[in-house]
């Protein structure tokens, strides 16, 4: 059973920074990709950033230039460094990982960590 546990959320003022971490219960190299999604109140969950096994990164337009995603394979952890935070970044941030070892995509999700950005 794959488990993903997020940490690092909290309250920060606009313009500040936070680093989220997602620790996996298994070797993250087994995943095709990992990433971060977020869901603000009353809105759908949206992609923030992803990183593939090979290190290719993808960012939502809203995150481009402000957020960085990285992975530490030795620690089985993926990080999301968020800078220049805005009130509109307020959301629950979810860690995601997926694999296709069963010939179809299987997604795994963490329970989320709340990020609140005050103006």
């Amino acid at each position: 059973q794959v488990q993903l546990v997020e940490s690092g959320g909290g309250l920060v003022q606009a313009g500040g920074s936070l680093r989220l971490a997602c620790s996996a219960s298994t070797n993250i190299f087994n995943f095709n990709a990992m990433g971060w999604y977020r869901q603000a109140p009353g809105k759908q969950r949206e992609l923030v950033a992803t990183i593939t096994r090979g290190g290719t990164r993808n960012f939502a337009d809203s995150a481009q230039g402000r957020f960085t995603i990285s992975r530490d394979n030795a620690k089985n952890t993926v990080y999301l460094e968020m800078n220049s935070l805005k009130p509109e970044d307020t959301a629950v941030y979810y860690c995601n990982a997926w694999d296709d070892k069963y010939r179809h995509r299987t997604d795994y999700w963490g329970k989320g960590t709340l990020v609140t950005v005050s103006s």
Side-chain angles (χ1 to χ4, degrees):
Q1 184 82 12
V2 173
Q3 290 188 326
L4 303 175
V5 179
E6 303 97 337
S7 61
L11 174 64
V12 64
Q13 288 189 331
S17 299
L18 278 176
R19 188 176 79 156
L20 306 183
C22 172
S23 296
S25 61
T26 187
N27 189 335
I28 64 173
F29 203 75
N30 293 330
F31 300 124
N32 294 60
M34 296 185 70
W36 292 91
Y37 290 71
R38 69 186 183 187
Q39 188 166 18
K43 295 188 177 181
Q44 290 188 329
R45 190 173 297 189
E46 63 178 7
L47 179 146
V48 177
T50 61
I51 183 168
T52 68
R53 181 189 292 125
T56 300
R57 294 165 171 81
N58 181 49
F59 294 92
D61 289 344
S62 60
Q64 190 75 41
R66 298 188 300 128
F67 294 2
T68 303
I69 189 169
S70 61
R71 56 191 293 156
D72 186 331
N73 292 332
K75 295 183 177 180
N76 294 321
T77 300
V78 171
Y79 302 96
L80 183 69
E81 184 80 34
M82 305 186 292
N83 299 309
S84 302
L85 283 162
K86 306 174 182 179
E88 51 264 43
D89 293 317
T90 295
V92 177
Y93 284 70
Y94 296 91
C95 180
N96 169 268
W98 68 272
D99 64 35
D100 58 2
K101 62 183 179 182
Y102 299 116
R103 298 186 179 181
H104 63 271
R105 175 169 171 156
T106 301
D107 283 89
Y108 307 95
W109 293 93
K111 293 183 179 181
T113 185
L114 177 63
V115 171
T116 304
V117 184
S118 63
S119 57

